[in-house]
Amino acid sequence: MILFDLVQASPVQIPDLTRCQVASASSDRGPPVTLYFNCCLPITGPIVDFSFEKYKPISKHIRRPAHTASDEYIAKYIKAYELMRALPDTDPRSLKVQANLHCSFCNGGYLQAGVTGDIPLQVHFSWLFLPWHRWYLYFHERILGSLIGDPGFSLLYWNWDDQVYGGNQLPQMFTRVNTSLYDEKRRVAVQRPTIVPLAASTPLNLNDSIVINQNLNNLYQAIVTASTATLFMGGELRAGDDLRNSTVMKNRLGGSLENGLHTAVHYYVGDPRTQLLQNMGNFGTASRDPIFYSHHTNVDRLWDVWRFSMPDGERSNHDDPDFLNAEFVFYDENANMVRVTVRDVLEHQKLGVYYEKGGSDDLWISYSPPARTNQSAVPVAVAAGVQYVREAPLNGIISIGTSFSAIVKRPSEKKQSKTLEVLNIQGVQVVRDEFVALAAFVNIPWAGASTATDSVEYLGTFNIVPSTDKSKHLKVNVKYEIGDNLKRIGISEEEEVVISLVVTGDSNAVTIQGVKIDYEDQEIDYEDQ
Ligand code: C2O
């Protein structure tokens, strides 16, 4: 219990839209550069409250995989985005304003309302991520449908988790030059038929079968074993929480779907010929590319798969009132401003949205990652002089370079049922504005840039997209379920384990403050997070 944090908590509110600031993103890759975005949103009238009655679905929106779409459906999709692109920039339904919605709530365009001090509103890196993006897609889809006069128009999902039927390549429909779905700012090396890796540390020139196995393991580690709401969806963010200054104990925590898989896809689609990996590789520009919405439709679908299709049964979302009552603002298909809450988006069927099952979900859901090792690496690591790292603040600030290994003690008390054993990399901070990926391994003291992520020693990757000046030096905790990994390796009786971290990107950029392994309840004790 952290007493000084017991301030009156409350849900995030919609910001005061009359107070917009210039948003920005910067990069130190090459000569330092800062891009400024005017993402200020048009105020079209009074903000009305969402109700299921008012937005009753006229027909079902059934979202299907993009790579299975018919030519006829693709033509419709192209038409819808053509019309959206053709709207004037002042029209909230235009692609320009749709993109600005994302930019303004990720890159510091607005400040939180009802709090003391100037705290930027940020919809990433916390439990707000999944519900905000689900609402975003909901209104985006309705706008596209209304532009082509088809109320049943449905977004297609980029089925990048599908490693069998070709979902893991850029969907062909988005790659046709001179159509409204094309964006020229994309990474050349990730064009079809390249398989898009789901860990940002994977080189693009590997053999397909290697990438496929790494992808399956990445999906397994980020979705199947991340069974709690905090691990998967991300941690709490309440009104007044400031991403820029938090104590190590209370550091924000993005979920495994967001910080691992989702962000890796942004990274690989972003164009390295631009300094900020535009468009997809930077939150300020990502949703200028129509593939963004298809990418996020898959993220949204995977949230559903996580909840309802896992072998251990149904999983629970956060249910804290400050989560349920958090509110956002969007534009509907008539350019009206609508106030929505997280509570109303949790069951997408109530919004008329349905998902057709992904082509090969079962392959990663039932994946059994192979173990590369079969005995504890601690003795070897001790002999090689690997240091012990304890929980923060006992270590000070540790600079991890390109790779770093530590011996970490496991908790001594016995594991109860219904608890997960969780590794917490505390106080991770990236001190430069550049895309950085931090991969974590257990029991491989020699892990480095070429260590593959296809075995059970791999715990996951935390990817950091440069997002904004204003949340520069973001400090977060990164958590991974580790019990399943230890069991599969056969070292679950050991008292200590070797944890290794590998950095892709700037090797001087990352510091941490501690590493801790603990049991966490499935039930979340919010006060202790
Ligand atoms: Cu708002 Cu994929 O990010």
Side-chain angles (χ1 to χ4, degrees), residues 2 102 117 145 165 181 191 197 212 445 450 463 490-491:
I2 313 150
H102 192 254
Y165 304 106
L181 305 182
Q191 298 307 320
I212 286 171
S450 58
N463 299 301
I491 53 170

Side-chain angles (χ1 to χ4, degrees), residues 108 297 416 467:
T297 304
Q416 301 141 18
S467 70

